[in-house]
Amino acid sequence: MAEKKEIIPPQYDVNAKWDACLDVTVERFGYSSLGGAFAGLLLFRRPLSRWACVAFGAGIGIGSAYTQCSQLFGASPAKQPSPKFSESPDSHQGHD
């Protein structure tokens, strides 16, 4: 007897989205941390400066992964509403 499995459309498959986000986060965190460590070894002599460079690289990786994950889930933090300006020239006449 064959079982009927429900096929979930890709836009509603939350498990696949979380898997993709976790994969992107681990990948970008690792690569940017390694890039920060390499840059720290080349540019700095003190261990504290090198660790700061690694932390900066890790932060860039986490931020990049957060942006991609939020776009994957349908909300983008980079898209903010633009300010609305008044087009009327009368609004500045009384300030002379």
Side-chain angles (χ1 to χ4, degrees):
M1 187 158 54
E3 292 182 27
K4 279 189 168 182
K5 292 187 177 182
E6 291 184 34
I7 299 175
I8 301 171
Q11 67 265 25
Y12 299 119
D13 192 6
V14 178
N15 289 333
K17 289 180 181 180
W18 277 110
D19 287 344
C21 281
L22 185 62
D23 183 45
V24 165
T25 303
V26 169
E27 178 182 309
R28 291 192 179 175
F29 176 79
Y31 286 144
S32 60
S33 295
L34 286 175
F38 183 70
L41 284 172
L42 288 177
L43 299 174
F44 301 111
R45 296 181 108 186
R46 295 179 51 203
L48 183 62
S49 300
R50 289 179 178 173
W51 280 110
C53 199
V54 171
F56 182 73
I60 288 176
I62 293 287
S64 174
Y66 175 77
T67 302
Q68 176 134 2
C69 287
S70 64
Q71 288 175 355
L72 184 65
F73 278 102
S76 176
K79 293 182 181 176
Q80 296 184 5
S82 61
K84 295 181 181 178
F85 296 107
S86 173
E87 294 289 331
S88 66
D90 297 334
S91 62
H92 297 293
Q93 287 181 354
H95 299 290
D96 289 330

